[in-house]
Amino acid sequence: MTSRFPAGFRRQALRALLTTLLCTASMAAATAGESEVPASWPGPNQLFVGACYQPIDRTPAQIDQDIAIMKHAGFTVVRMGDLSWDSFEPAQGKFTFDWFDAVLDKMHAAGIRVILDIPGTPAPIWLHRTYPGVDIVNQAGARLPPAERYMDNISDPDYVREAGILAEAMTKRYAHHPAVIAVGYDNEIGNGFMSYSEADRQRFITWLRAKYGTIDALNKAWATQRWSRRLNDFSDVDLPLADGPGPAERFLDLHRYWSDVTVDRLRELDAIRRRAMPDLPTISNLWDYAPRRGFDYLATYKSYVSYGAEGFYPADPISGAFNALMTKGDLPTPIWFNEFTAGGGGDYGTPGRSRMYAYLGLLMGAQGILAWTFNSHLGGEEQALFGLVDHDGTPSWKVDEFGRIAGEFKRLSRYGFPRHTRPEVAIAYSFESAIASHPNGPSSTTRQYFQGAYGDMVQAAFEPLFKANIDTAIINVGHDTLAPYKLVVIPADYVMDPASAKAVREYVQNGGTVLMTGYSAKVDEHAQWFDTPLPGRLSDVFGLKTNAFYRSEAPLSYSLGSSSTAATTHYYEVLAPTTATVLATFDNTPDHTPAITINKFGKGTALYLGTEPAPAAMAPVLAYAYGLAGVHQGPQTPDGVYARVVDGRTLYVNTTRETQHVAITGAKTGLVSNRRYDGTLVLGPWEAELLP
């Protein structure tokens, strides 16, 4: 169909868009997490179960059949619109909305709400052909065709303009549609490719000028006196290699630049949403920790996120919970799983597994569970990622399982779900530490020093907390307030920038308790090793200096109190206390060097663990810190069983394949199973129960 917009609209809309974005960028955006949740948003006592749905693959008759299946299963939400730009705009400025209008109307008639995804990625072929700057150019200078859905250069100004026009059209069209419950942006935007065109180099130079101001400041930040790499002018700058050799300083700035590009696109979309749909929240599937590019979500999320949301494909309960809580940050709003495991690539699924993980999500504070995906795809890269409905249109047993989840969650919503968490413990996570601790190789000695992935180390510190059934927030300590927490854990935080150091210092001075581990605070914000006592910027707070480090042949162990702990790690730092007291020593290092120190600083306490944050090394010192900080531990459960108290009731989830027995007080009737338990809760494999 022809465009619904009159001549000149696009130019006027673009000017208005750019004006609004400039204004928006200059303001500190208010977020959902900083105010009461509006009544029009998903709120207390509302749980949503449904699926991701791609109507572009279906005929009108098939869509009717699909909606009938959803309604019979009790689904209450779908996510639609993602990955479909050219279905809405098959040619530049030619919008076709009637097909989507019909689907939205049918969903509304069936009582199913819709998360409207603005499909800014992937860009359609016509956009690549009309504006070649949208193509990716690799490090060797070769243009790459858009062979995969992540291959758009989102820094290109033509892309930015056209994506904004699409978003304007969609948000205005559906601003008042009764089915739409929320808006999502640019599915998995963090998994895009970096581009190396000359235009990209010039945009990077512009970014560097804004950040550093002068070439002298840039030379200092990049340590260009090393290896005769001094820059005489900004025109000497090349794009650092993401895959190849080069110094860590430039590698970090490369990722910062692309992170800013990504965040700018999200903020631009949110500015458009605020104009057209100010009463609707954002629930976006973003994938900030994607390995290709990623972006600094935890330093920026409050300017474009209402509810933390992600694609949930857990390898195990610990990693699944860790990644989910990273998307929540310190938002008081619940978690949404915009894509939820129903199987996997080449994996048809396992009966009971999705239901178990749905209850684990409920335990963490989830509100929405959307299976990926409703229909098994008949073509493309994910045709062997099996949905709820088989390739021939037959509903599988997975429809029944998600229907069971929907029915049970409907009943449980009256018992305090979605659960509002109030964590007493926070764990520090830094995008910059993740990048700087593992720069491009192969000649970087940082990779030889920092052995192991930063994200794995932070997850390892999280594991004992999750096993102890303690709610934990995962935050960037330089960007979120530390005041609400009794204990802040800083595991392997390699980069210690001024904002983070200031926040930690003030938190301890004011009475907080901090636990830092080895590998932390070794380099500054430029990824350069500190020339001051380590841990950099915080040596006095922890009351020690640590320069020397070694790796033992045998796994380390340390004695804390009357017991010895097998730490399972090999890396250790030699801690030289100044004002700190030695709390524990390593059993098997020369001279039994300090393993844990404790220092009073201001009104608070700073603990330092002189090894990496493996779970076995962390568990004893965390247990000590709980008592020191007054952290309340959760219900006691067998290994693999997790529990949280919700409005005076306790939700238990058995994530193992064995029957588990949990001691309880008295006789109780389960609100999930309606079974009677006396003195012992018996949980079958992958079973969940809510006890009064």
Side-chain angles (χ1 to χ4, degrees):
M1 63 184 286
T2 58
S3 173
R4 300 174 65 247
F5 302 97
F9 168 84
R10 290 162 63 85
R11 290 189 297 275
Q12 294 170 6
L14 176 59
R15 283 195 294 270
L17 171 63
L18 292 175
T19 299
T20 301
L21 295 180
L22 288 171
C23 294
T24 302
S26 66
M27 298 186 298
T31 68
E34 297 167 345
S35 62
E36 292 296 322
V37 173
S40 58
W41 291 17
N45 306 116
Q46 290 182 309
L47 296 175
F48 296 85
V49 177
C52 296
Y53 188 56
Q54 287 77 42
I56 55 173
D57 291 334
R58 312 293 284 167
T59 67
Q62 289 173 325
I63 290 170
D64 290 341
Q65 178 182 336
D66 292 341
I67 292 175
I69 294 169
M70 294 178 194
K71 185 175 182 179
H72 181 74
F75 288 2
T76 52
V77 66
V78 293
R79 173 172 166 248
M80 298 194 305
D82 56 306
L83 312 172
S84 306
W85 185 338
D86 63 3
S87 294
F88 293 107
E89 191 180 7
Q92 187 173 14
K94 306 295 184 181
F95 291 97
T96 56
F97 289 119
D98 290 349
W99 67 276
F100 198 71
D101 295 348
V103 182
L104 276 179
D105 291 345
K106 290 176 179 180
M107 290 293 178
H108 178 59
I112 298 172
R113 306 301 299 275
V114 175
I115 297 176
L116 173 69
D117 249 43
I118 307 299
T121 55
I125 296 299
W126 64 255
L127 185 59
H128 283 268
R129 295 294 182 261
T130 307
Y131 303 107
V134 182
D135 291 344
I136 296 294
V137 175
N138 69 13
Q139 292 180 175
R143 170 198 167 272
L144 301 179
E148 188 182 88
R149 65 184 182 273
Y150 303 108
M151 300 180 74
D152 302 323
N153 186 350
I154 64 170
S155 74
D156 180 76
D158 292 314
Y159 168 85
V160 176
R161 181 190 65 251
E162 295 301 319
I165 291 170
L166 171 73
E168 288 272 10
M170 291 185 68
T171 54
K172 286 181 178 179
R173 178 97 180 185
Y174 300 115
H176 304 293
H177 197 288
V180 178
I181 194 174
V183 181
Y185 306 141
D186 288 3
N187 178 67
E188 297 181 352
I189 190 172
N191 200 34
F193 285 75
M194 297 179 186
S195 187
Y196 282 79
S197 69
E198 175 58 23
D200 288 302
R201 186 178 79 91
Q202 293 299 328
R203 287 190 284 270
F204 180 57
I205 289 173
T206 299
W207 182 88
L208 291 172
R209 285 184 185 273
K211 181 175 178 64
Y212 293 107
T214 67
I215 196 64
D216 289 340
L218 178 59
N219 274 316
K220 183 177 181 181
W222 281 9
T224 59
Q225 74 277 5
R226 304 300 305 170
W227 318 127
S228 190
R229 287 296 176 264
R230 207 178 308 270
L231 302 166
N232 295 312
D233 186 81
F234 279 99
S235 63
D236 290 336
V237 170
D238 288 314
L239 276 164
L241 301 179
D243 182 17
E249 297 92 336
R250 304 184 190 200
F251 185 73
L252 178 57
D253 268 343
L254 173 72
H255 281 268
R256 282 172 170 153
Y257 164 70
W258 279 107
S259 174
D260 284 356
V261 167
T262 303
V263 171
D264 284 348
R265 299 298 81 84
L266 293 170
R267 286 173 172 162
E268 289 156 8
L269 291 173
D270 202 55
I272 294 168
R273 189 271 310 168
R274 286 174 184 271
R275 288 202 303 276
M277 298 173 148
D279 297 327
L280 290 179
T282 58
I283 302 178
S284 305
N285 188 42
L286 301 175
W287 200 4
D288 57 295
Y289 54 91
R292 284 194 184 116
R293 191 180 66 213
F295 64 98
D296 198 349
Y297 173 85
L298 285 176
T300 61
Y301 64 123
K302 291 181 179 179
S303 59
Y304 49 84
V305 165
S306 304
Y307 296 76
E310 69 155 8
F312 187 70
Y313 302 99
D316 58 81
I318 299 295
S319 64
F322 176 73
N323 291 333
L325 292 171
M326 279 184 63
T327 71
K328 181 175 173 62
D330 75 346
L331 292 170
T333 47
I335 302 168
W336 278 68
F337 295 117
N338 279 15
E339 297 178 12
F340 190 83
T341 180
D347 175 13
Y348 190 74
T350 305
R353 184 176 182 272
S354 291
R355 179 174 175 270
M356 178 273 286
Y357 274 117
Y359 273 98
L360 190 69
L362 200 63
L363 179 147
M364 293 184 289
Q367 183 172 38
I369 306 279
L370 290 88
W372 183 269
T373 182
F374 186 76
N375 302 108
S376 298
H377 296 182
L378 295 176
E381 297 170 34
E382 293 190 343
Q383 59 185 301
L385 198 165
F386 302 90
L388 305 186
V389 175
D390 293 341
H391 291 87
D392 64 357
T394 304
S396 73
W397 57 262
K398 289 175 280 188
V399 172
D400 293 333
E401 181 161 323
F402 274 82
R404 181 183 180 188
I405 296 168
E408 291 174 349
F409 278 22
K410 184 177 180 180
R411 287 192 289 109
L412 292 179
S413 64
R414 72 179 82 123
Y415 296 125
F417 296 100
R419 178 172 173 261
H420 182 66
T421 60
R422 298 175 179 83
E424 296 180 335
V425 181
I427 291 184
Y429 180 91
S430 163
F431 171 80
E432 297 191 347
S433 286
I435 299 300
S437 64
H438 197 73
N440 46 353
S443 57
S444 174
T445 55
T446 298
R447 293 161 69 106
Q448 298 167 0
Y449 166 68
F450 199 105
Q451 297 183 7
Y454 167 73
D456 290 346
M457 291 191 185
V458 182
Q459 181 181 308
F462 166 78
E463 182 174 326
L465 286 154
F466 195 67
K467 286 186 172 181
N469 294 314
I470 295 174
D471 283 330
T472 306
I474 301 173
I475 64 173
N476 183 309
V477 296
H479 292 268
D480 286 326
T481 178
L482 305 184
Y485 306 106
K486 295 181 178 180
L487 172 64
V488 174
V489 183
I490 306 175
D493 202 356
Y494 187 59
V495 175
M496 186 52 59
D497 61 274
S500 297
K502 180 176 184 290
V504 172
R505 176 179 297 277
E506 292 178 352
Y507 173 73
V508 178
Q509 279 180 326
N510 292 331
T513 301
V514 164
L515 169 60
M516 179 180 276
T517 79
Y519 283 130
S520 293
K522 298 299 186 276
V523 301
D524 66 12
E525 64 274 19
H526 303 302
Q528 294 180 16
W529 209 269
F530 282 110
D531 61 0
T532 58
L534 300 175
R537 295 193 166 110
L538 293 171
S539 178
D540 60 330
V541 174
F542 288 89
L544 59 84
K545 176 180 177 179
T546 174
N547 283 339
F549 64 91
Y550 303 97
R551 291 183 172 88
S552 63
E553 291 186 8
L556 294 166
S557 62
Y558 67 79
S559 298
L560 179 59
S562 59
S563 61
S564 180
T565 297
T568 72
T569 58
H570 295 263
Y571 167 88
Y572 68 96
E573 299 175 3
V574 178
L575 308 183
T578 51
T579 58
T581 300
V582 176
L583 192 62
T585 58
F586 287 116
D587 298 330
N588 54 343
T589 62
D591 302 322
H592 298 288
T593 52
I596 304 169
T597 60
I598 184 170
N599 190 54
K600 294 297 293 182
F601 185 81
K603 299 177 182 178
T605 305
L607 296 154
Y608 195 97
L609 173 65
T611 186
E612 65 188 73
M618 291 293 294
V621 66
L622 279 171
Y624 179 87
Y626 303 153
L628 199 66
V631 172
H632 297 92
Q633 297 192 53
Q636 291 189 347
T637 54
D639 192 38
V641 176
Y642 302 98
R644 296 291 191 278
V645 176
V646 188
D647 285 1
R649 307 172 187 88
T650 305
L651 175 64
Y652 296 89
V653 184
N654 178 12
T655 66
T656 76
R657 290 176 177 265
E658 292 80 37
T659 297
Q660 300 284 351
H661 297 78
V662 184
I664 59 174
T665 302
K668 301 177 186 295
T669 300
L671 298 173
V672 175
S673 69
N674 203 36
R675 289 199 294 262
R676 188 74 173 168
Y677 306 97
D678 193 351
T680 302
L681 168 64
V682 181
L683 285 172
W686 286 349
E687 280 294 332
E689 187 64 275
L690 180 66
L691 293 184

